[in-house]
Amino acid sequence: MNLDAILLAVLAALLAAIPALAWALMERSRANRAEARAFELQDAAARLRLLEEQEAKNTAFLQAQAAAAIAEQVMKRADETFHNREQLAQARLEAQLKPVAETLAKFQEQVVAVEKTRAEETGGLKEQISQLLQASTATQAEARKLSAALRRGAGVQGRWGEQTLRNVLEAAGLHNRYDFDEQTSTDSEEGRRRPDVTVRLPGGAVFVIDAKCSLNAFLEAQDAPDEASREAAYLRHAQSVRAHMQGLSAKAYWDQFNQGSPDFVAMFIPGDSFLAAALERAPDLMTEAMDRRVLVVTPTTLFALCKAVVYGWRVEEQAANAQEISKLGRELYKRISVMGAHAGSVGKALEAAVSRYNQFVGSLETQVLTQARRFEDLKVDHEGKELPELAPVETGIRPLAKLAADPDAPETGRLAALTAKGR
């Protein structure tokens, strides 16, 4: 219901109330006139004026009362209408906002769950970061210990390099004193040589690995106070690596082993960073090393090289197993052939025995039993025993068909030859 309809309803109510008010005024007027007639004997003129004034006052009062009642009713109706419209609007608004409220509640639940998960993950991340920091601290401490140990001299550096080399070889699958030897001695024209490690290859070949490399200059670069001193130390490190490579090439280890050995020697540097620092100052170092038959390797590249060696040994072992299997197959074929020949001999012996048995049965029936049965005709006491009936053996011996195959066939020819050899 809109405001115009409300106003129309209020006006209609006012119009309906006017006759009642008019009737009330008329009744009041009659009462006044009757009262006036009762007092007409008194001061008629004054009384009449007073009555008229009173009537006017009453009329004004009633009109004011009616207007106030109508206004109050109109305001009450308006308040009720506005209140109903407000309730309806509020209900509509609540109905429209209910999905939003539900969505906000779900969103709040998700936010709480996400916050809880984030707090848990943050706690786990903090713990992992703490563990990482502890591991980093331990690594730094071990690195400082290693750096301090390496600064003690070439002997400590050499032993550390040899141990690192041994770890790489064993990690690749090679076994000490079986796949490689340490500190072996060889004689050459220049005197006795003693390579750090000699790795055995399939076919009796070997290749040499040298683990000695000075790291003094590299360690000095780590403790250099300024960039110039650090760069100078790195240059000395590159020169030290080149000098060691040239000296190792001059030993010509590849000439001291058999012809199948590779014509190079592996120069082991126990860290990729050591080689990277040298190559950064001497980019042609690897090319010069290859020209001098020196293969510069680090733990990463040596591991791949040793894996290739392990694969070669596996192929060699598989080839040896294949040869052994072939040998066992030939021997098994030979023994089966000999056993077949024996089976053929047994069959022939059984056939001859059956033939002799049948001849014996025939001779017994025709030559002996006919004479023996005459004793029955003469009533000779034989104590209830009768002569048995002997049937000949009719079942034949099954021949070995494979042994009796075409002798021109290659397999049959080999089988016959092996059979004759087995006999």
Side-chain angles (χ1 to χ4, degrees):
M1 181 181 293
N2 53 19
L3 184 61
D4 296 336
I6 295 171
L7 294 175
L8 290 175
V10 172
L11 292 176
L14 290 174
L15 291 175
I18 290 174
L21 293 173
W23 182 80
L25 292 174
M26 290 175 65
E27 289 296 327
R28 183 67 179 174
S29 178
R30 287 191 192 99
N32 291 333
R33 282 194 300 270
E35 185 178 357
R37 289 188 192 97
F39 293 99
E40 63 183 356
L41 296 177
Q42 298 178 2
D43 191 4
R47 188 66 178 173
L48 181 59
R49 287 193 299 271
L50 291 175
L51 289 175
E52 290 177 355
E53 292 177 358
Q54 185 66 31
E55 184 178 359
K57 291 180 180 179
N58 292 335
T59 302
F61 176 76
L62 291 176
Q63 289 178 352
Q65 290 283 338
I70 292 172
E72 183 179 359
Q73 188 175 3
V74 170
M75 292 299 295
K76 184 177 180 180
R77 292 286 183 90
D79 290 340
E80 292 178 354
T81 302
F82 289 142
H83 182 68
N84 292 334
R85 293 186 65 183
E86 184 179 358
Q87 289 182 346
L88 181 61
Q90 185 176 2
R92 289 179 180 176
L93 183 61
E94 290 178 354
Q96 293 176 355
L97 294 179
K98 184 177 181 180
V100 179
E102 294 177 353
T103 304
L104 289 175
K106 293 180 181 179
F107 179 73
Q108 184 177 3
E109 293 177 357
Q110 293 179 357
V111 169
V112 172
V114 170
E115 182 65 20
K116 182 178 179 182
T117 304
R118 186 190 65 80
E120 294 176 353
E121 292 179 352
T122 303
L125 181 60
K126 288 181 179 178
E127 183 178 358
Q128 293 180 0
I129 291 175
S130 177
Q131 295 177 357
L132 182 61
L133 290 175
Q134 292 178 1
S136 176
T137 303
T139 303
Q140 292 177 358
E142 294 297 329
R144 284 193 294 268
K145 291 179 181 178
L146 177 60
S147 178
L150 293 178
R151 286 186 175 88
R152 295 177 183 175
V156 177
Q157 295 178 12
R159 288 192 297 272
W160 177 67
E162 292 172 0
Q163 182 61 45
T164 305
L165 174 59
R166 187 182 305 111
N167 294 338
V168 172
L169 295 177
E170 292 177 351
L174 299 178
H175 301 282
N176 192 7
R177 297 184 180 180
Y178 181 75
D179 297 318
F180 66 92
D181 293 320
E182 296 179 315
Q183 303 298 331
T184 58
S185 299
T186 59
D187 294 328
S188 64
E189 296 179 356
E190 291 79 7
R192 181 175 294 275
R193 303 293 188 187
R194 191 176 183 181
D196 293 331
V197 173
T198 55
V199 179
R200 297 188 183 91
L201 300 176
V206 296
F207 77 90
V208 176
I209 303 177
D210 183 85
K212 298 180 180 64
C213 183
S214 177
L215 302 177
N216 293 330
F218 184 87
L219 296 175
E220 292 175 0
Q222 304 303 310
D223 298 334
D226 51 28
E227 187 63 27
S229 301
R230 183 178 299 105
E231 187 64 23
Y234 278 135
L235 289 175
R236 291 196 303 273
H237 172 66
Q239 294 172 359
S240 175
V241 173
R242 174 179 277 113
H244 182 66
M245 177 267 295
Q246 294 173 352
L248 187 60
S249 175
K251 294 181 180 179
Y253 281 116
W254 51 84
D255 293 336
Q256 302 169 22
F257 300 98
N258 56 24
Q259 297 296 327
S261 299
D263 58 345
F264 66 85
V265 59
M267 175 181 167
F268 179 71
I269 297 179
D272 294 329
S273 58
F274 305 145
L275 179 59
L279 291 177
E280 187 176 354
R281 277 77 189 175
D284 59 341
L285 183 62
M286 295 295 290
T287 304
E288 182 181 354
M290 287 186 288
D291 292 339
R292 293 178 177 272
R293 300 183 182 182
V294 176
L295 182 63
V296 181
V297 294
T298 61
T300 304
T301 54
L302 181 61
F303 180 82
L305 179 62
C306 293
K307 275 295 184 181
V309 174
V310 172
Y311 177 76
W313 275 113
R314 186 178 301 132
V315 172
E316 181 79 8
E317 183 178 0
Q318 291 175 353
N321 291 338
Q323 292 180 358
E324 186 66 22
I325 291 172
S326 177
K327 181 180 178 181
L328 292 175
R330 289 193 297 269
E331 183 65 24
L332 179 61
Y333 185 82
K334 176 182 176 181
R335 296 186 180 187
I336 291 175
S337 300
V338 174
M339 186 175 65
H342 292 323
S345 300
V346 172
K348 291 180 180 180
L350 290 175
E351 186 179 2
V354 169
S355 177
R356 297 292 185 273
Y357 173 77
N358 291 336
Q359 291 177 4
F360 170 74
V361 170
S363 176
L364 180 62
E365 288 182 345
T366 58
Q367 300 296 328
V368 178
L369 293 182
T370 55
Q371 295 295 326
R373 285 191 177 91
R374 292 182 181 180
F375 286 100
E376 295 178 0
D377 297 337
L378 296 175
K379 306 299 183 182
V380 176
D381 186 9
H382 48 76
E383 298 180 357
K385 294 182 179 180
E386 296 180 357
L387 293 175
E389 293 291 338
L390 298 178
V393 177
E394 301 295 342
T395 303
I397 303 301
R398 179 177 177 178
L400 291 174
K402 296 299 182 180
L403 291 178
D406 185 8
D408 295 334
E411 294 184 358
T412 306
R414 289 196 297 271
L415 182 59
L418 292 173
T419 301
K421 185 176 180 181
R423 291 181 179 176

